[in-house]
Amino acid sequence: MPDQHASALHPRLVRLIEAEGPMPVSDYMARCLGDPEHGYYMQADPFGRSGDFITAPEVSQLFGEILGAWVVHAWEAIGAPDRVALVEFGPGRGTLSADMLRVARLRPAFLGALTLHLVETSPRLRATQNQTLANCGAAIDWHDSTATLPDDVPLLIVANEFFDALPIRQFVRDRSAWRERCIGLDDRGALRFQAGLATLDDTDLPPHLKSAPDGAVLETQPVANAILQDLAERLARQGGTALVIDYGYAQTAVGETLQAVRNHRPVPVLGTPGEADLTAHVNFEAFARAAHCPPVSARPLMTQGDFLLRLGLLERAGQLGAGRSSGVQDGIRDDVERLAAPDQMGNLFKVMALAPAGIRLAAFDEA
Ligand code: SAH
């Protein structure tokens, strides 16, 4: 058994469970990632080759530049308004916004129209973002949640690997009911999974899930769905578009996707709370339902590989490598593979776009 006492958050979780009883997976996830003192995103900079994991914007500037070009196109598609909010959720180190804005600078009218809004709860990462974006050419506002986002201008929203960090609930099939999975204590005081008392109302579940075998695990993402619904309602009122990129599945299915990663390696979910990244795959079918708010709806889901290739990943990579050493060119080729190859990030990561009907979106609405 892993040593669970190695983390600073562990004793606090044990005390909470002793006082209040078994804790749903969603609470565990929220505390591990967001505890103000010992939460994962509150204490460390986990990104990059030396961190725990690497995200697309940290793999290559090509990713952010292509998203930047998409956003400029979206701004034009909604009529090039003279005031617009570019909103990034969970900006990490700020690399994606910096790369997007480098492209935006090529369109001074766009840069002049926008303010940048970053939704980020970690004070530590806010400081890093502030540094990365010091010369980005736009005024920046930080937000704890969607509640304080501007409500009088169109929004151009981007979220890369944000929704996978939001708390999910897990339910375990047990004699024709779905019982919530919780974290309790074994008789030696170590954290362990156990069934809780709450059950899932399965009225809306697809029929094939109603006959799932005992022990099957079903995940739900109430927090993520609520945020997406809020964004769709805002887009319906204020205008604009959203681009959501994450790893996930296109149809509701049973299966456990909650995982912990430390040092680029999977580790036990209960092993070192607060010191490993915890994520779960995103259910894009649930997202499409949450985002349905006429005239706004989700466009058909696309893989990250298709999305980047349609927007000229290979051509941009060629430009970036032109006249450079063969070592640099090999590096760029590796990055392109990493971002778009089906066996790397290309298929696992999906891209969902939201926009009012009739707005033409690059990559999604092309012949
Ligand atoms: N988009 C970045 C980082 C992804 S990691 C990239 O692609 O590199 C997840 C990010 O979301 C971190 O910045 C983390 O601090 C932030 N985050 C996690 N939960 C959050 C929440 N509930 N509200 C706002 N930000 C959150």
Side-chain angles (χ1 to χ4, degrees):
M1 198 180 78
D3 179 13
Q4 296 181 348
H5 300 271
S7 97
L9 185 59
H10 183 271
R12 184 173 299 192
L13 294 172
V14 169
R15 278 198 304 277
L16 262 167
I17 294 169
E18 281 168 353
E20 295 174 15
M23 167 185 290
V25 166
S26 49
D27 285 4
Y28 178 76
M29 206 173 161
R31 286 178 190 280
C32 286
L33 296 180
D35 179 89
E37 218 178 323
H38 302 301
Y40 181 71
Y41 284 114
M42 302 300 151
Q43 49 173 352
D45 175 354
F47 309 102
R49 289 178 213 276
S50 60
D52 288 323
F53 57 89
I54 185 161
T55 57
E58 304 296 337
V59 168
S60 165
Q61 71 190 74
L62 289 164
F63 183 79
E65 289 172 359
I66 287 178
L67 263 62
W70 189 91
V71 164
V72 172
H73 185 280
W75 172 69
E76 286 167 348
I78 62 169
D82 56 10
R83 285 180 63 218
V84 71
L86 177 61
V87 184
E88 190 188 347
F89 280 80
R93 282 185 177 158
T95 311
L96 175 55
S97 276
D99 291 339
M100 289 196 295
L101 287 170
R102 206 171 40 252
V103 170
R105 258 183 246 155
L106 303 174
R107 298 299 304 273
F110 176 57
L111 196 59
L114 73 81
T115 48
L116 179 61
H117 298 264
L118 303 177
V119 182
E120 174 61 71
T121 38
S122 161
R124 187 162 179 151
L125 288 173
R126 282 187 183 199
T128 308
Q129 291 153 19
N130 195 23
Q131 269 174 9
T132 308
L133 291 159
N135 301 312
C136 75
I140 311 176
D141 267 344
W142 275 270
H143 303 264
D144 283 328
S145 72
T146 55
T148 51
L149 289 175
D151 54 12
D152 56 350
V153 292
L155 307 175
L156 298 171
I157 299 163
V158 174
N160 183 63
E161 287 205 50
F162 166 73
F163 285 102
D164 64 6
L166 299 181
I168 57 149
R169 296 176 73 180
Q170 287 187 329
F171 295 89
V172 183
R173 188 75 175 172
D174 177 16
R175 283 162 298 163
S176 76
W178 291 99
R179 293 183 65 192
E180 178 140 38
R181 182 185 260 179
C182 290
I183 288 124
L185 303 174
D186 69 14
D187 45 19
R188 288 182 306 156
L191 302 179
R192 62 143 192 213
F193 287 114
Q194 66 181 68
L197 297 177
T199 54
L200 177 74
D201 171 9
D202 65 358
T203 345
D204 291 336
L205 284 185
H208 70 277
L209 294 183
K210 293 187 180 164
S211 54
D214 273 4
V217 175
L218 185 67
E219 295 178 342
T220 65
Q221 49 184 36
V223 179
N225 289 345
I227 292 177
L228 211 75
Q229 185 178 342
D230 178 33
L231 295 182
E233 287 168 6
R234 282 170 172 273
L235 295 180
R237 281 197 305 271
Q238 298 169 227
T241 63
L243 202 58
V244 173
I245 305 177
D246 234 307
Y247 46 95
Y249 43 105
Q251 251 129 34
T252 304
V254 291
E256 197 177 340
T257 74
L258 180 65
Q259 60 171 352
V261 168
R262 199 175 179 189
N263 264 325
H264 301 270
R265 287 215 183 79
V267 293
V269 167
L270 303 183
T272 45
E275 291 180 3
D277 188 34
L278 280 184
T279 58
H281 289 208
V282 167
N283 179 345
F284 282 101
E285 184 184 352
F287 264 8
R289 231 175 305 139
H292 187 70
C293 181
V296 170
S297 63
R299 300 294 154 85
L301 202 58
M302 195 178 284
T303 64
Q304 173 168 303
D306 281 349
F307 176 78
L308 294 176
L309 292 169
R310 280 194 197 191
L311 292 170
L313 176 66
L314 299 181
E315 294 76 1
R316 278 174 183 271
Q319 284 163 11
L320 190 62
R324 312 285 292 274
S325 70
S326 62
V328 171
Q329 289 177 348
D330 287 347
I332 294 172
R333 234 186 319 273
D334 286 350
D335 294 344
V336 166
E337 286 269 308
R338 181 116 190 220
L339 292 174
D343 60 342
Q344 301 202 40
M345 298 175 91
N347 273 0
L348 181 59
F349 281 73
K350 313 281 194 303
V351 187
M352 177 172 266
L354 312 186
I359 301 291
R360 270 190 83 251
L361 298 176
F364 291 88
D365 297 319
E366 282 156 2

